């Protein structure tokens, strides 16, 4: 599985893309091999390293700005079995994956892409006109993970910082990309022994994702609105109707135990 290129017309070769990335990373002087006491050896050393500048319009890899680049110009058939179109996000689904909608008390909470390696959760946010939103978010994410008792480190990925937390033999990797007036965040969760495969697949998904910011005024940092495909909308309505019926039954004075409300996955597509 190769991250670059993936069927875009006039795409640069992998060697050219690697050179472009090196030019971004080489904005900081290279240093000698770090010792155990140097700042570069600490888990959060990546926080002080400049991120690559991502071009979401004319770059050789995504995520792309859907307002300027059409997903129809790409061929993802070697990677994807279908397109997940959420309005603000267009994501080619990896082979052997399914989509699940997580339900909360008031309705759908989150949408996940479930793969053999683990789970990917995509979210797009309204962004500022200036860069640096993801850089600030990584600090808050890392602090939150530490408060939850995870062992945290910051790694450098293809788009810059990635926050990695580990606990109880499970690994959480959160990658983000600043785009034009939007920010994409992908959360990857997997067993520790499948973390490398999950990271690779997660990067592949990010590279093929399109974000549609739209023209509506949205406060920076707010999630972009999501339009569920009709298949999932129908399943959610059924799940919520079932929950309402169960709650009604539980409220009735009866000696029979009531059914447990559905707080898990409300819908999925193979």
């Amino acid at each position: 599985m190769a991250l670059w290129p993936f069927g875009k017309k006039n795409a640069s070769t992998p060697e050219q893309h690697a050179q472009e990335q090196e030019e971004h990373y080489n904005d900081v002087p290279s240093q000698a091999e770090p010792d155990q006491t140097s700042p570069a050896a600490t888990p959060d050393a990546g926080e002080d390293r400049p991120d690559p500048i991502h071009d979401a319009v004319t770059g050789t890899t995504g995520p792309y700005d859907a307002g300027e680049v059409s997903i129809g110009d790409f061929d993802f058939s070697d990677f994807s079995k279908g397109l997940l179109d959420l309005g603000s996000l267009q994501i080619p689904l990896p082979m052997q994956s399914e989509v699940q909608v997580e339900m909360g008390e008031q309705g759908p909470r989150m949408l996940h892409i479930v793969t053999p390696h683990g789970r990917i959760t995509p979210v797009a946010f309204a962004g500022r006109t200036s860069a640096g939103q993801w850089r600030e978010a990584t600090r808050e994410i890392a602090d939150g993970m530490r408060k939850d008792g995870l062992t945290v480190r910051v790694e450098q990925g293809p788009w810059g910082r990635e926050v990695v937390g580990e606990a109880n033999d499970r690994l959480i990797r959160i990658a983000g990309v600043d785009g034009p007036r939007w920010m994409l965040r992908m959360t990857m969760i997997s067993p520790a022994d499948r973390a490398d495969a999950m990271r690779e697949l997660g990067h592949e998904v990010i590279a093929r994702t399109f974000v549609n910011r739209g023209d509506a005024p949205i406060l920076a940092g707010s999630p972009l609105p999501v339009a569920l495909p009709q298949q999932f909308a129908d399943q959610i309505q059924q799940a919520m109707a079932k929950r309402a019926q169960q709650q009604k039954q539980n409220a009735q004075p009866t000696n029979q135990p009531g059914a447990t409300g559905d707080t898990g996955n409300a819908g999925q597509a193979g």
Side-chain angles (χ1 to χ4, degrees), residues 133-267:
Q133 187 168 338
W134 173 243
R135 180 185 184 117
E136 295 175 4
T138 57
R139 299 189 181 101
E140 298 175 2
I141 292 170
D143 288 343
M145 285 185 175
R146 292 189 186 97
K147 291 178 181 177
D148 290 338
L150 280 71
T151 301
V152 180
R153 63 181 183 273
V154 175
E155 297 182 358
Q156 286 288 328
W159 297 274
R161 294 165 182 77
E162 297 182 359
V163 184
V164 182
E166 190 168 3
N168 300 324
D169 201 34
R170 294 190 68 81
L171 190 139
I172 302 174
R173 176 182 299 274
I174 305 181
V177 188
D178 284 323
R181 298 173 59 237
W182 52 258
M183 183 185 79
L184 175 67
R185 187 183 73 194
M186 289 277 189
T187 301
M188 299 158 251
I189 302 178
S190 67
D193 60 356
R194 283 181 255 169
D196 289 345
M198 183 73 268
R199 177 189 64 223
E200 180 181 351
L201 182 59
H203 288 170
E204 297 281 355
V205 172
I206 294 172
R208 292 164 172 81
T209 294
F210 288 67
V211 181
N212 184 8
R213 167 63 173 78
D215 297 325
I218 304 176
L219 184 66
S222 300
L224 296 182
V226 169
L228 290 176
Q230 191 61 44
Q231 174 187 2
F232 296 113
D234 292 342
Q235 292 175 345
I236 288 171
Q237 287 181 350
Q238 294 172 8
M240 294 186 70
K242 179 181 177 181
R243 173 181 295 169
Q245 182 64 28
Q246 291 173 337
Q247 290 175 343
K248 182 178 179 181
Q249 292 176 352
N250 291 341
Q252 295 176 351
T254 176
N255 294 329
Q256 296 181 354
T260 303
D262 178 12
T263 57
N265 297 318

